[in-house]
Amino acid sequence: MIQPDSFAKLFHLLDALQARAGVRTTFSVGVAASVAALTIILRLFTAKKPKLITDYAKVARKVDDSGLEFDEWDFIVVGGGTAGCVLASRLSEDPNLRVLLIEAGGSSKDVAFSKIPSAFSQLFRTHWDYHLYTEPQLHAGNKKKYWPRAKLLGGCSSMNAMIALYGSPSDFDEWAEMTGDESWSWNNFSKYIRKFEKYTPDPRFPQVDPLLRGANGPVEIGYSTHVWPASEAFVQASMNAGIPFSPDFCTTKGTKGTNKSTRVSTESAYLTDEVLARPNLKVVTYARVAKILFDSSAGTPRATGVEFAGRSPMGGIGPKFRVRATKEVIVCGGAVHSPQILMLSGIGPAAHLSQHNIPVLLDAPGVGANLTDHPAFNLRLKEKTGTTFNHLKPYNLRTARLLIRDLLRYQLWGTGPIASNIGETAAFFRSDDPVLFSPAEYNHDIEDATSGPDAPDLEILMCAAAVHSHNIPIDRKSHMYQMIVILLRPTSKGSILLKSTDPYDDPLLDPSYLETKHDIDTLVRGVRAAFKIAHTAPMTSVTDVQSTHPLLDHHFSRLSDAELADIIRDRVETVYHPIGTCSMGPGGVVDSDLRVKGTRGLRVCDASVFPTLVSGHPAGAVIATAEKLADVIKAQYCTK
């Protein structure tokens, strides 16, 4: 049944299309837009609504004067992000285990921008986004950097570019060595990657061996139905520049070479209608956990439940609710919010907690420390074939017609540029590669921060559009593209600290971008490689080498390394991969089974537990980590 406000949403979408075109559309264009928009609205509003809970009294008790009113669950999962959805689904497979999942946002299933691959950046700076900013970055232009983090079920897997690039096998072997636990080695951990994968073979890519991929998991993995022609040229030019072709980044061969990226999604994979119908699983939305509750009467603090609240109708904090966990509380808030929740609960650096008058339950200096992220630089160039995706933000009647055409293609057949994730192809390589960086031209004195000799420290993503910062176009009327140069193994480390004791107050984020000489030197080298590829055949048929556009980077070949380093420091951005703030390993917060050291009944499961960055994209490793933990917990508690 169509909801009462459906037509209002339809007219709003039509008005938006017309406004984006900037002109009065003709009758034929209006009809086509109506068809496309109505198709989208009908699909969204006739879809089944998930069984999510916003009436908290159904699962919890209001806090009374004594503070002793609880409803009871076996497991409470705090945060319905990439890992939280996996754990809630897997643990509730046992009908005798009662599982409560608490999420600060809502479902992504009816959010069009989350469902459409090319539209993910339209979620940035909206109410679906935490809209975070770092502290001014001392070594990066003293600027605050924007950090998009999804406020949705599925977490950042509902907001990212859906790229399945898991990292090098030696990355996970490094984790095994750091934790002293071989279950994290690639040979053992990779089975959880195969467990979540449902790889669909594609006749366009016959070199991929489907026998090396998972086939029966809940997460569909496959290639985009649309490939920008320049993406093919990028792969060939990368090979001609000296980067070997890799048929599949996601196997034991790891992420070295060049190829097309594949796709990942999560909330809909694990929280299906069938899963949500389980009587032993409840999912609470739009609720913020304020703190974890503990019983310290036996000496070692034991997690016994959580306190949470929603927003009141007036915008303030609503009534507080408490729930009890008879077995465990599992924090899955991500690299930003997991350390914040622990610190608000009294677990963290004692001196910092005392500054905020938070009673110290456990002095844990590692909470919020070891913050590491993939810094990235966008090399922006003019494109001369006229085939970029700039019509997806139309500026005249012609581009409005192209957008309408592609909306129809996507809705009817699932093809066209709207089916693209924008970053379709990638190249991985090492900064000490003598083929790419001839010893005659380059000093090979950069510190090796990789996990092994076959692991890369640089990545280039080829994109069919160019932006100032994440989703702000440079020039909507010009055809431009960008190569995102990503530093995979930075040595700079930062921290997350509390701004206040208010759980709705964003913490202080300081990734310390480009603090070390290693990081800036390696990123300069990566930008040099990207520029070289852009000027290597067949990319020479794509790059407008004669362009002198003042906002583009065609002059980089004339710059010294020092001059290029200054530009990189000024323009460096995140590529959305913070990790490490509740890490495993020596001096870390959790043990190799993700139990918070010095406590009982409390674990953390998300990218914050990673001791080091993977030389790929971490979403797949987060899903696999949650799959692994689910098996560990079920082995301990399962009754089936």
Side-chain angles (χ1 to χ4, degrees):
M1 178 178 178
I2 298 178
Q3 300 297 313
D5 65 344
S6 299
F7 290 104
K9 291 179 179 290
L10 170 61
F11 290 125
H12 176 73
L13 182 54
L14 291 175
D15 290 343
L17 283 170
Q18 202 163 359
R20 290 172 74 179
V23 297
R24 188 188 301 273
T25 57
T26 64
F27 177 75
S28 62
V29 172
V31 170
S34 299
V35 172
L38 183 58
T39 302
I40 295 171
I41 294 294
L42 286 174
R43 288 194 178 187
L44 289 178
F45 287 93
T46 58
K48 291 183 179 179
K49 297 297 178 183
K51 297 180 179 180
L52 308 179
I53 295 171
T54 54
D55 180 0
Y56 308 145
K58 292 182 178 180
V59 298
R61 303 284 182 89
K62 280 188 180 180
V63 177
D64 65 6
D65 292 338
S66 68
L68 297 177
E69 295 281 356
F70 290 91
D71 269 8
E72 191 173 87
W73 302 84
D74 293 310
F75 294 94
I76 299 173
V77 180
V78 178
T82 306
C85 289
V86 179
L87 282 167
S89 177
R90 293 302 192 193
L91 294 178
S92 62
E93 288 174 342
D94 182 343
N96 296 313
L97 295 179
R98 300 164 300 168
V99 180
L100 177 65
L101 174 63
I102 304 175
E103 164 56 32
S107 174
S108 66
K109 292 181 181 179
D110 59 354
V111 179
F113 292 144
S114 179
K115 296 164 72 75
I116 298 171
S118 61
F120 69 93
S121 67
Q122 300 305 307
L123 296 166
F124 296 175
R125 302 179 175 94
T126 69
H127 65 278
W128 298 298
D129 176 20
Y130 280 100
H131 203 162
L132 303 174
Y133 281 86
T134 70
E135 294 300 289
Q137 292 302 285
L138 180 62
H139 304 281
N142 208 35
K143 294 181 177 180
K144 295 184 176 183
K145 301 295 182 177
Y146 167 60
W147 270 23
R149 310 303 295 169
K151 193 186 294 185
L152 287 164
L153 278 170
C156 290
S157 71
S158 296
M159 192 187 203
N160 64 15
M162 299 179 287
I163 299 175
L165 301 169
Y166 307 138
S168 173
S170 59
D171 296 339
F172 304 99
D173 293 341
E174 182 180 56
W175 291 4
E177 183 178 351
M178 294 177 72
T179 61
D181 185 343
E182 278 301 306
S183 69
W184 289 100
S185 69
W186 173 259
N187 286 341
N188 295 310
F189 183 71
S190 59
K191 69 181 179 183
Y192 291 107
I193 292 175
R194 306 304 164 226
K195 182 176 182 179
F196 78 68
E197 284 186 321
K198 184 178 182 180
Y199 175 71
T200 302
D202 192 317
R204 296 174 298 166
F205 306 100
Q207 306 98 327
V208 179
D209 184 354
L211 297 178
L212 299 178
R213 308 298 296 272
N216 301 309
V219 181
E220 294 188 8
I221 306 291
Y223 287 91
S224 170
T225 58
H226 181 85
V227 177
W228 181 40
S231 293
E232 300 278 4
F234 171 81
V235 172
Q236 290 298 320
S238 297
M239 294 167 63
N240 291 339
I243 302 174
F245 179 77
S246 173
D248 189 353
F249 289 134
C250 299
T251 65
T252 301
K253 294 181 180 179
T255 48
K256 268 187 73 178
T258 182
N259 199 344
K260 300 175 182 65
S261 56
T262 51
R263 319 291 304 286
V264 176
S265 63
T266 50
E267 183 207 351
S268 58
Y270 285 93
L271 296 185
T272 63
D273 290 341
E274 180 182 6
V275 170
L276 291 172
R278 294 172 184 164
N280 61 320
L281 171 64
K282 300 299 179 186
V283 180
V284 169
T285 53
Y286 302 107
R288 195 74 167 259
V289 169
K291 61 181 177 180
I292 304 160
L293 306 174
F294 291 91
D295 177 4
S296 299
S297 60
T300 301
R302 178 180 180 82
T304 58
V306 302
E307 181 176 291
F308 66 92
R311 285 289 192 184
S312 71
M314 302 302 292
I317 300 176
K320 295 178 182 179
F321 290 79
R322 286 183 176 178
V323 285
R324 184 185 300 278
T326 63
K327 291 181 170 61
E328 295 192 15
V329 173
I330 309 168
V331 180
C332 302
V336 172
H337 293 108
S338 284
Q340 181 187 28
I341 291 169
L342 290 184
M343 286 188 280
L344 289 172
S345 306
I347 299 176
H352 178 62
L353 299 183
S354 297
Q355 288 173 357
H356 292 280
N357 297 316
I358 297 173
V360 178
L361 183 74
L362 179 67
D363 182 12
V367 174
N370 193 47
L371 174 63
T372 318
D373 187 24
H374 282 151
F377 179 85
N378 296 346
L379 178 69
R380 309 183 297 220
L381 301 168
K382 187 80 167 59
E383 193 266 357
K384 64 183 181 183
T385 68
T387 60
T388 62
F389 294 171
N390 69 341
H391 65 282
L392 298 185
K393 291 193 174 183
Y395 54 87
N396 59 21
L397 182 58
R398 180 187 65 83
T399 51
R401 285 173 171 164
L402 290 175
L403 174 62
I404 292 163
R405 176 204 68 185
D406 287 339
L407 279 169
L408 289 170
R409 288 172 67 187
Y410 178 72
Q411 289 300 320
L412 294 174
W413 303 291
T415 60
I418 290 176
S420 169
N421 71 334
I422 310 299
E424 299 172 342
T425 48
F428 291 85
F429 54 96
R430 292 178 61 94
S431 58
D432 60 4
D433 187 328
V435 176
L436 275 173
F437 307 106
S438 167
E441 296 181 63
Y442 295 89
N443 293 323
H444 285 270
D445 55 358
I446 294 178
E447 173 192 355
D448 184 1
T450 64
S451 59
D454 292 324
D457 56 0
L458 287 165
E459 175 189 359
I460 300 173
L461 271 177
M462 176 69 168
C463 301
V467 294
H468 274 298
S469 171
H470 305 283
N471 63 346
I472 302 172
I474 296 175
D475 181 352
R476 293 168 65 181
K477 296 184 179 181
S478 297
H479 285 279
M480 303 172 178
Y481 75 92
Q482 70 186 21
M483 294 182 184
I484 304 178
V485 183
I486 303 168
L487 178 61
L488 296 173
R489 299 284 293 188
T491 56
S492 300
K493 297 184 186 299
S495 65
I496 290 179
L497 296 171
L498 294 177
K499 186 183 298 181
S500 75
T501 57
D502 182 352
Y504 285 91
D505 206 357
D506 298 331
L508 302 173
L509 314 176
D510 183 9
S512 294
Y513 287 135
L514 307 182
E515 180 180 15
T516 65
K517 184 176 185 299
H518 164 275
D519 289 2
I520 189 63
D521 288 351
T522 307
L523 205 45
V524 165
R525 191 158 292 190
V527 173
R528 295 286 192 205
F531 194 89
K532 177 180 180 179
I533 292 168
H535 294 79
T536 299
M539 276 300 294
T540 47
S541 64
V542 176
T543 306
D544 184 355
V545 297
Q546 304 301 322
S547 174
T548 57
H549 195 296
L551 296 178
L552 299 183
D553 301 327
H554 292 273
H555 63 294
F556 275 14
S557 61
R558 302 192 297 272
L559 300 181
S560 67
D561 283 355
E563 291 170 326
L564 185 54
D566 287 341
I567 294 174
I568 291 172
R569 288 189 188 279
D570 185 64
R571 284 169 40 187
V572 69
E573 298 285 353
T574 180
V575 77
Y576 328 128
H577 299 160
I579 63 99
T581 49
C582 298
S583 70
M584 299 183 286
V589 177
V590 298
D591 65 15
S592 63
D593 284 332
L594 308 189
R595 295 172 295 210
V596 176
K597 298 173 183 177
T599 71
R600 292 187 297 152
L602 179 62
R603 301 188 205 236
V604 178
C605 182
D606 49 45
S608 72
V609 305
F610 296 178
T612 55
L613 271 165
V614 295
S615 51
H617 295 228
V622 172
I623 299 171
T625 296
E627 288 276 16
K628 180 180 186 296
L629 180 58
D631 273 5
V632 169
I633 291 174
K634 286 194 285 188
Q636 181 176 349
Y637 295 104
C638 216
T639 61
K640 288 180 68 175

